[in-house]
Amino acid sequence: MTLKKILTIAGSDTSGGAGIQADLKTFQEHGTYGMTALTVVVTMDPATWSHSVYSLPIDVLKSQIKTAVSTGIDAIKTGMLSTEEVIATAGNAIRESELSTVVIDPVMVCKGEDEVLNPGTVDAMIEHLLPRALVVTPNLFEAGQLAGTGTPKSLDEMKEAAKKIHAHGAKNVFIKGGKGLKSDTAADLLYDGQAFTLYEAEKSENHYNHGAGCTVAAAITANLANGLDVKDAVGEAKKFVTAAIANGWQLNDFVGPVYHGAKNKFGAPEVTLTEV
Ligand code: PXL
């Protein structure tokens, strides 16, 4: 048996819904083989759930990347990258791999925490990661940071941000609007440099959605590794995460992760595509 091998360069979410845990669970559900290069370990205070972020030494990160790349990988995904040095290291690894199946999830904050991890990281992502991205998957806040426009609040503002991010070199820009827009659906926008496609699903009543952003980016990566084109990879990933959110569950008083196994267990929800 051979499986497509995917390396995720990302952080560990100890609570298991986001980060490298979301990536590995999602890769597994897609019949792909996940490998990891850990950048940080995130822990949560049991009394308040406030996050602490512990960076691993850069040599440890480089050593992990070397190990995984030596096996011959098919795709790379990036998640939480805490410093400019870590971002440059991930960018170099992508360049040296010569892979085109590269998905950049430009994680800047954890949900509930409202400061960018480190202000210099936005410019570093623009320099080292966006020019190498087949798909970049910002949420609304991250799109506003990368575009320099401020957080989009409408479809027109999402389109404007997507164009600016595309101009930084990302071949496809997928902005995760999710429940953030005042529309009746959970709507995300794909821009390939020519056309805008809106992906819509029913808005979930469920508020247990921790890890949704990492999960959709991981699903896009796995679908691309398995040979889907970008438009279909995104469409299938949207179904995967919509099911995962609909079946999100309460882990404790503070957090409810998505259920990464939901689509395979319960079936795919409906997602509609519209050129806009
Ligand atoms: O959801 C963003 C995210 C990404 N990566 C790690 C995280 C989080 C949020 O908690 O912990 C490691």
Side-chain angles (χ1 to χ4, degrees), residues 76-275:
I76 296 184
K77 171 184 182 283
T78 67
M80 186 183 282
L81 309 175
S82 45
T83 65
E84 290 154 74
E85 191 180 25
V86 168
I87 290 168
T89 298
N92 286 336
I94 295 165
R95 181 170 45 78
E96 285 167 13
S97 76
E98 295 181 2
L99 286 171
S100 55
T101 308
V102 174
V103 175
I104 303 296
D105 189 21
V107 175
M108 293 178 193
V109 285
C110 292
K111 216 168 255 131
E113 318 266 310
D114 56 9
E115 257 171 68
V116 173
L117 277 172
N118 173 347
T121 56
V122 174
D123 288 340
M125 285 180 192
I126 291 171
E127 180 182 348
H128 297 287
L129 299 179
L130 294 196
R132 305 193 167 110
L134 176 57
V135 186
V136 62
T137 62
N139 60 26
L140 291 169
F141 174 78
E142 291 157 353
Q145 294 289 313
L146 291 172
T149 54
T151 304
K153 292 183 181 58
S154 65
L155 180 58
D156 281 345
E157 289 180 9
M158 281 170 89
K159 286 170 118 173
E160 185 194 344
K163 279 187 181 167
K164 294 212 153 96
I165 297 167
H166 185 267
H168 289 310
K171 291 190 181 62
N172 295 274
V173 182
F174 181 62
I175 301 182
K176 301 175 286 195
K179 285 206 282 197
L181 292 178
K182 290 192 185 72
S183 62
D184 295 337
T185 58
D188 309 314
L189 183 71
L190 178 68
Y191 180 55
D192 65 5
Q194 294 185 318
F196 292 97
T197 308
L198 196 66
Y199 293 75
E200 292 177 281
E202 204 174 305
K203 257 185 188 171
S204 177
E205 299 293 313
N206 194 345
H207 293 291
Y208 302 129
N209 60 6
H210 174 68
C214 303
T215 298
V216 74
I220 292 170
T221 316
N223 288 330
L224 291 169
N226 281 334
L228 297 194
D229 65 21
V230 171
K231 202 169 172 182
D232 288 345
V234 167
E236 290 304 310
K238 171 88 173 169
K239 291 180 195 166
F240 187 87
V241 77
T242 300
I245 294 168
N247 292 280
W249 59 289
Q250 186 173 6
L251 180 65
N252 66 6
D253 287 345
F254 301 103
V255 69
V258 300
Y259 174 42
H260 309 84
K263 174 168 167 275
N264 287 345
K265 203 175 172 96
F266 306 123
E270 195 174 331
V271 167
T272 60
L273 278 63
T274 318
E275 301 295 320

Side-chain angles (χ1 to χ4, degrees), residues 9-55:
I9 306 174
S12 167
D13 167 16
T14 301
S15 76
I20 226 142
Q21 289 80 359
D23 293 345
L24 288 178
K25 292 169 191 181
T26 299
F27 296 160
Q28 184 80 9
E29 293 290 335
H30 286 79
T32 59
Y33 184 80
M35 285 184 280
T36 59
L38 267 189
T39 55
V40 297
V41 175
V42 181
T43 62
M44 297 82 191
D45 182 325
T48 61
W49 217 246
S50 80
H51 291 35
S52 297
V53 180
Y54 301 93
S55 290

